[in-house]
Amino acid sequence: MSDRAHGRKIAFAAFIRKALADARATRAWTGSEVSRRTGVSRQTLNRWVRGEWASDPEAERVVAFCEGLGISPTIAFGVLGWDRGTPARPTPNAPPMDPDVEALLRRLVDPNVSDAEKFHIRETIRYLAYRPIMPPNAGKRGKQAG
């Protein structure tokens, strides 16, 4: 896979994740609700989020997804590199992605990485993403003199 194709997958996956997060935050929609309102299956949405698609998403599905969420399809087309007049990244002020995160994303879309390894990567990420945030002084409690 070329670096350009890989970059498009990562950018589109980030675009879809942000759109889904916005739908959850502003409308309290679940993934099933987004699927119902956009006409894009949950399986397709999950593949887009993971960047696991062998060929480009169908334009009709991208348009349906965007219109169902009130997003201009030209933004998604720009992310996918389909519209030369639109910048490739919809959020130019976003901080650069951590190199370790980029490496994990590359492994998740690499066809040479086993499904078992991809599963373990996803499970670890989910664990880290949703674990409770520890207070800054939590690690010092056991070291206090008493």
Side-chain angles (χ1 to χ4, degrees):
M1 174 188 315
S2 72
D3 287 342
R4 178 165 160 62
H6 175 70
R8 288 175 52 241
K9 283 187 175 188
I10 290 174
F12 188 65
F15 167 79
I16 296 297
R17 279 193 301 275
K18 182 178 181 332
L20 291 172
D22 289 348
R24 276 194 281 289
T26 61
R27 300 176 178 151
W29 287 359
T30 62
S32 296
E33 185 67 13
V34 170
S35 178
R36 187 180 73 73
R37 291 183 181 253
T38 63
V40 179
S41 73
R42 291 281 316 260
Q43 294 83 3
T44 297
L45 292 174
N46 289 333
R47 274 196 316 276
W48 288 354
V49 164
R50 293 187 310 262
E52 291 179 354
W53 30 278
S55 59
D56 279 358
E58 295 175 17
E60 299 81 26
R61 286 186 178 173
V62 174
V63 169
F65 174 80
C66 290
E67 289 179 348
L69 295 179
I71 301 168
S72 171
T74 58
I75 296 171
F77 287 3
V79 169
L80 287 164
W82 294 348
D83 182 0
R84 301 284 180 221
T86 305
R89 300 246 182 213
T91 54
N93 295 332
M97 190 176 297
D98 184 281
D100 293 331
V101 174
E102 284 183 352
L104 287 172
L105 291 173
R106 279 194 300 275
R107 292 185 73 84
L108 288 173
V109 298
D110 185 343
N112 298 318
V113 174
S114 71
D115 289 340
E117 186 171 349
K118 290 178 182 182
F119 172 81
H120 288 294
I121 292 169
R122 283 191 198 95
E123 288 300 307
T124 302
I125 291 171
R126 279 188 197 102
Y127 166 75
L128 293 171
Y130 299 109
R131 72 181 179 157
I133 297 174
M134 302 290 290
N137 59 356
K140 298 177 184 174
R141 287 187 186 147
K143 297 180 182 178
Q144 293 177 351

